[in-house]
Amino acid sequence: MYSSPFLDLPPFRAATGVVRLPGSKSISNRILLLAALAAGTTTVHDLLDSDDTRVMLDALRALGCEVAQEGATLRIHGLDGQLRTRQASLFMGNAGTAMRPLTAALALLGGDFELHGVPRMHERPIGDLVDALTQLGCRIDYLGNPGYPPLRIHPVPPDMLALDVPIRVRGDVSSQFLTALLLTLPLVATRDVTIEVVGELISRPYIEITLNLLARFGIDVRREDWQRFTIPAGSRYRSPGDIHVEADASSASYFIALGALAATGDGLRIEGVGATSIQGDIRFIEAAREMGAQVESGPNWLRVARGAWPLKAIDLDANHIPDAAMTLAVMALYADGPSTLRNIASWRVKETDRIDAMAAELRKLGAAVEDGPDFIRVHPLPAANWRAASVETYDDHRIAMCFSLAAFNPAALPVRILDPHCVAKTFPDYFETLFEVVEPLDIPVICIDGPTASGKGTLAVEVAHALGYHYLDSGSLYRVTGLATRRAGLEPDAANEGRIAALAHGLSLQFIKGQVVLDGEDVSDAIRTEAAGMDASRVSALPAVREALLSLQKRFRRLPGLVADGRDMGTVIFPEAPLKVFLTASAAQRADRRHKQLISKGISTTLDSLRADLEARDARDSSRSVAPLKPARDARRLDNSQLSIAQSIEQVLDWWQDVQPFKAS
Ligand SMILES: Nc1ncnc2c1ncn2[C@@H]1O[C@H](COP(=O)(O)OP(=O)(O)O)[C@@H](O)[C@H]1O
Ligand SMILES: Nc1ccn([C@H]2C[C@H](O)[C@@H](COP(=O)(O)OP(=O)(O)O)O2)c(=O)n1
């Protein structure tokens, strides 16, 4: 997961391979609640691990439900409709799929509860559900604005509930209110309980998921059209024993779109969900086909390839796929005419006002967009009009994910996604998964070269962290080679060049959480001594050793980008890097820094000997015949003798921003 303030996606040109998708959020949270309310133990497989499922699990645990976790499998010991805790303050984050059904469950079960969330949750309406529960006799107060969380729930004796008249609930704002009632009314169904939907029910496929899962837990709801739902008297939740969570069909939409945009040849295989899924968003496939995608499907997989190109414009009532339809709005940029998505008023009450947000961000890319209370129209974007944009994500995972598709733009521009961490809501590893199947036009590299103890490593690690990039400490490869040379009983000199190069070639090396692991052994400290530095410098002067380490270094260049530090990153290994920094500081400063660094690691040494070593090493590194230490012609020099670490980082990030096409927005 990326926790950097922004993530720059370099331009992509193709997609291919296999993706395995995480479990569906809607299915995961419904199953968790049903398993907690049911009698017996439920083993849940492939549960989504995300912010919203964690919110639900934490709440269920706080209510006394026992949950044991082993990897992606959970064993839930159901409460059989009896809470163990009758008083709690529960944090709902921004998880609508936890907030709504828990409000209903707790109001019906009786107790003193407070439910609150993040500020956006307190702007998401819940009045229609509270009204329906109040008709029944439940007692719920608004603690902030009427109609919105936070809420306080008071206990009501079960025999005070008015179950004899149909419960009326609005269905035209969010189907989650009806889902909340359907999931929880079996708790009190001592007689037939009927729900009547007021207004046109939206997002029906989500109600189908609810009914389908209720049936798995022993509750057979009778449905008359989409207007009346009856929970039969005596309904009781029964655990199905084992239950599997399908992969998220809404998450599949990004990869279906990816296939449609960029998978030529064999196409892109998507695993975990197939065309017969119980999730409504699977019908995104129909819309993608209409736009030109070639989609094949099996029981639990899809294969998608590019068909028509440019894509065909679409005019769609997207009420049945509200979440996945956002993906169509970005695909529309690549179509042969304006595309219109209609009947999407529910977008306005999701994680953010999604119609406004999509329109604003698509316009930043250069697109012409029209929007109204319940529609959005997106015009195709010709290559000349594309702009490099910083896309605001409004703490909305779907905005972050669907705008990643803008990286296929024909202008070959990068796309900046602000706050990429928001994907954690449903798909924490979205970007990692994307990076496995896309082919970039180019992967950016920042090179930081310079003499020993100038602060290269410190700076490179922090810059990489700020950008979410990978990090290559090329010096560690020479240090490990030096260590391996000594362990093989060899002198690190030209007489042994061939054997040392062979050692370098065959290094079994791993970088695990900042540790350097050689043949399974953590050698991080062993390679940091001054003696090891000197050996590294000696083996690094041997041309065959440098050659042997070449391809290993190049393999570090992976999406979304790389920061590499060493001596020849900018001159030899990545000469085309768009930013090269040559970092220096006075010899006295460097000796002093290294001294402090070694002392803090418990390695004793003197300042004089360090300075002598350091100057000898600089001299050898600068004078050798291959890849000597020297600034690349286009390197920017940074003397950090008088700069703090934070100032050096800021300077390099400023330079990076300078060479990017993003304008301050
Ligand atoms: N700008 C700076 N000001 C003060 N100390 C620094 C600065 N940059 C790095 N240091 C310190 O200098 C020491 C050597 O830095 P390091 O990153 O290991 O250098 P290199 O990778 O160039 O050998 C570290 O203890 C680090 O904290
Ligand atoms: N790209 C590189 C990196 C390091 N080397 C050599 C030269 C250096 O003296 C040694 C050790 O490098 P390292 O970056 O770990 O050394 P310092 O941390 O700067 O002291 O390896 C190299 O030749 N080319």
Side-chain angles (χ1 to χ4, degrees):
M1 188 164 54
Y2 288 89
S3 49
S4 45
F6 58 83
L7 180 63
D8 290 343
L9 308 178
F12 302 146
R13 64 166 164 222
T16 181
V18 181
V19 282
R20 168 111 215 139
L21 297 177
S24 147
K25 175 185 67 159
S26 304
I27 296 180
S28 292
N29 266 357
R30 282 168 174 79
I31 288 181
L32 287 179
L33 184 71
L34 289 169
L37 296 176
T41 299
T42 307
T43 304
V44 185
H45 302 272
D46 302 328
L47 189 88
L48 170 68
D49 179 14
S50 76
D51 289 351
D52 285 14
T53 49
R54 240 166 279 137
V55 159
M56 181 62 112
L57 274 168
D58 288 348
L60 295 175
R61 286 196 177 102
L63 294 168
C65 181
E66 267 179 58
V67 181
Q69 188 153 10
E70 277 169 43
T73 303
L74 266 82
R75 289 172 73 76
I76 300 182
H77 302 281
L79 296 166
D80 196 9
Q82 297 297 319
L83 291 180
R84 299 237 171 90
T85 311
R86 301 218 164 254
Q87 197 168 26
S89 172
L90 301 173
F91 176 66
M92 298 285 100
N94 195 10
T97 54
M99 179 76 203
R100 278 77 183 255
L102 278 171
T103 297
L106 298 177
L108 294 170
L109 283 168
D112 286 293
F113 298 102
E114 209 180 285
L115 273 76
H116 56 100
V118 299
R120 173 63 189 165
M121 177 59 98
H122 297 174
E123 295 171 357
R124 298 177 65 183
I126 196 162
D128 292 324
L129 176 62
V130 171
D131 287 351
L133 291 165
T134 308
Q135 283 168 52
L136 250 173
C138 297
R139 288 173 52 215
I140 303 171
D141 294 334
Y142 296 113
L143 296 176
N145 291 330
Y148 298 87
L151 303 177
R152 171 156 306 134
I153 295 171
H154 303 280
V156 174
D159 54 1
M160 297 291 285
L161 296 176
L163 299 170
D164 49 340
V165 283
I167 302 153
R168 292 163 63 78
V169 65
R170 277 183 64 180
D172 52 356
V173 176
S174 164
S175 66
Q176 286 190 25
F177 303 145
L178 175 57
T179 279
L181 293 174
L182 287 167
L183 286 175
T184 56
L185 282 169
L187 285 169
V188 292
T190 46
R191 51 177 298 154
D192 280 7
V193 183
T194 300
I195 308 168
E196 263 179 25
V197 177
V198 182
E200 172 82 6
L201 180 63
I202 60 165
S203 313
R204 288 177 192 172
Y206 283 108
I207 300 300
E208 289 194 62
I209 296 180
T210 304
L211 298 178
N212 196 306
L213 293 174
L214 276 164
R216 299 290 307 276
F217 279 84
I219 314 277
D220 286 308
V221 178
R222 291 198 299 271
R223 174 170 80 74
E224 292 156 60
D225 294 327
W226 293 96
Q227 288 301 308
R228 274 170 80 86
F229 298 83
T230 301
I231 294 152
S235 286
R236 190 155 170 242
Y237 305 99
R238 280 190 317 273
S239 166
D242 281 62
I243 191 160
H244 287 261
V245 178
E246 272 188 13
D248 191 294
S250 318
S251 301
S253 74
Y254 313 110
F255 293 95
I256 296 169
L258 199 66
L261 290 176
T264 47
D266 276 354
L268 186 68
R269 187 177 159 96
I270 301 166
E271 292 185 344
V273 66
T276 53
S277 161
I278 63 167
Q279 300 167 71
D281 269 356
I282 200 66
R283 291 186 60 197
F284 177 83
I285 292 175
E286 297 163 18
R289 280 195 176 120
E290 210 178 315
M291 292 191 84
Q294 289 181 349
V295 186
E296 268 178 74
S297 171
N300 218 16
W301 58 266
L302 299 166
R303 181 180 289 284
V304 188
R306 189 198 262 189
W309 192 254
L311 295 176
K312 290 185 258 179
I314 195 171
D315 187 328
L316 184 75
D317 178 332
N319 191 263
H320 60 298
I321 49 168
D323 289 343
M326 294 167 74
T327 311
L328 298 171
V330 182
M331 290 169 78
L333 298 172
Y334 304 93
D336 57 4
S339 293
T340 309
L341 304 174
R342 302 177 191 279
N343 203 0
I344 53 166
S346 70
W347 282 24
R348 295 211 181 267
V349 294
K350 296 285 178 139
E351 279 76 348
T352 185
D353 181 330
R354 285 177 166 171
I355 296 186
D356 277 1
M358 291 298 291
E361 302 313 307
L362 287 164
R363 286 184 188 120
K364 276 191 201 160
L365 294 172
V369 182
E370 294 144 58
D371 63 301
D374 65 350
F375 80 92
I376 189 165
R377 181 171 303 118
V378 182
H379 294 256
L381 190 47
N385 293 2
W386 276 86
R387 292 196 298 262
S390 295
V391 175
E392 196 89 49
T393 49
Y394 308 83
D395 202 15
D396 186 340
H397 54 140
R398 300 214 180 279
I399 296 199
M401 295 189 276
C402 65
F403 272 89
S404 65
L405 300 170
F408 286 97
N409 64 82
L413 289 168
V415 179
R416 175 165 290 181
I417 306 289
L418 299 174
D419 189 21
H421 174 259
C422 64
V423 300
K425 189 171 167 73
T426 48
F427 199 161
D429 290 334
Y430 173 72
F431 291 107
E432 289 84 343
T433 310
L434 177 73
F435 294 156
E436 276 170 28
V437 291
V438 293
E439 234 178 74
L441 271 174
D442 184 38
I443 299 178
V445 184
I446 299 176
C447 298
I448 301 182
D449 288 306
T452 179
S454 54
K456 302 180 299 295
T458 309
L459 179 62
V461 165
E462 290 301 327
V463 169
H465 184 70
L467 298 173
Y469 283 5
H470 298 279
Y471 165 55
L472 165 61
D473 170 6
S474 63
S476 69
L477 306 181
Y478 293 98
R479 287 175 179 265
V480 170
T481 306
L483 184 72
T485 304
R486 288 285 178 197
R487 287 185 172 177
L490 300 173
E491 253 326 286
D493 56 29
N496 296 315
E497 182 165 353
R499 293 171 72 186
I500 300 172
L503 281 176
H505 203 75
L507 286 176
S508 161
L509 199 57
Q510 287 170 291
F511 294 86
I512 305 169
K513 292 188 186 143
Q515 288 181 346
V516 183
V517 179
L518 174 64
D519 287 329
E521 177 195 342
D522 179 2
V523 295
S524 317
D525 289 338
I527 61 167
R528 287 294 148 203
T529 64
E530 277 308 284
M534 201 60 97
D535 284 348
S537 175
R538 290 172 67 185
V539 296
S540 74
L542 307 172
V545 172
R546 302 202 76 81
E547 181 63 31
L549 292 177
L550 200 71
S551 62
L552 176 57
Q553 294 177 80
K554 289 192 191 263
R555 283 206 297 278
F556 276 80
R557 186 175 194 174
R558 283 181 283 128
L559 282 168
L562 176 68
V563 183
D565 94 58
R567 303 293 185 283
D568 61 343
M569 297 297 100
T571 49
V572 176
I573 310 292
F574 304 112
E576 67 291 355
L579 176 62
K580 299 171 187 170
V581 177
F582 194 79
L583 191 67
T584 54
S586 68
Q589 285 271 8
R590 292 189 285 123
D592 185 51
R593 288 176 187 173
R594 185 65 94 220
H595 188 235
K596 290 196 180 113
Q597 194 182 27
L598 291 176
I599 299 282
S600 77
K601 285 190 182 162
I603 301 173
S604 69
T605 170
T606 67
L607 204 52
D608 286 346
S609 73
L610 265 179
R611 176 142 183 192
D613 275 5
L614 175 145
E615 286 178 341
R617 191 131 72 88
D618 287 352
R620 180 184 306 103
D621 293 346
S622 310
S623 62
R624 67 186 176 215
S625 59
V626 271
L629 166 65
K630 64 169 188 199
R633 256 187 298 117
D634 51 349
R636 305 198 192 201
R637 287 159 201 259
L638 180 60
D639 181 335
N640 69 3
S641 306
Q642 304 303 322
L643 298 181
S644 67
I645 295 175
Q647 286 169 322
S648 309
I649 298 166
E650 205 182 309
Q651 176 63 77
V652 173
L653 289 175
D654 280 354
W655 281 339
W656 185 234
Q657 179 67 16
D658 271 359
V659 300
Q660 298 280 347
F662 305 108
K663 300 288 160 278
S665 57

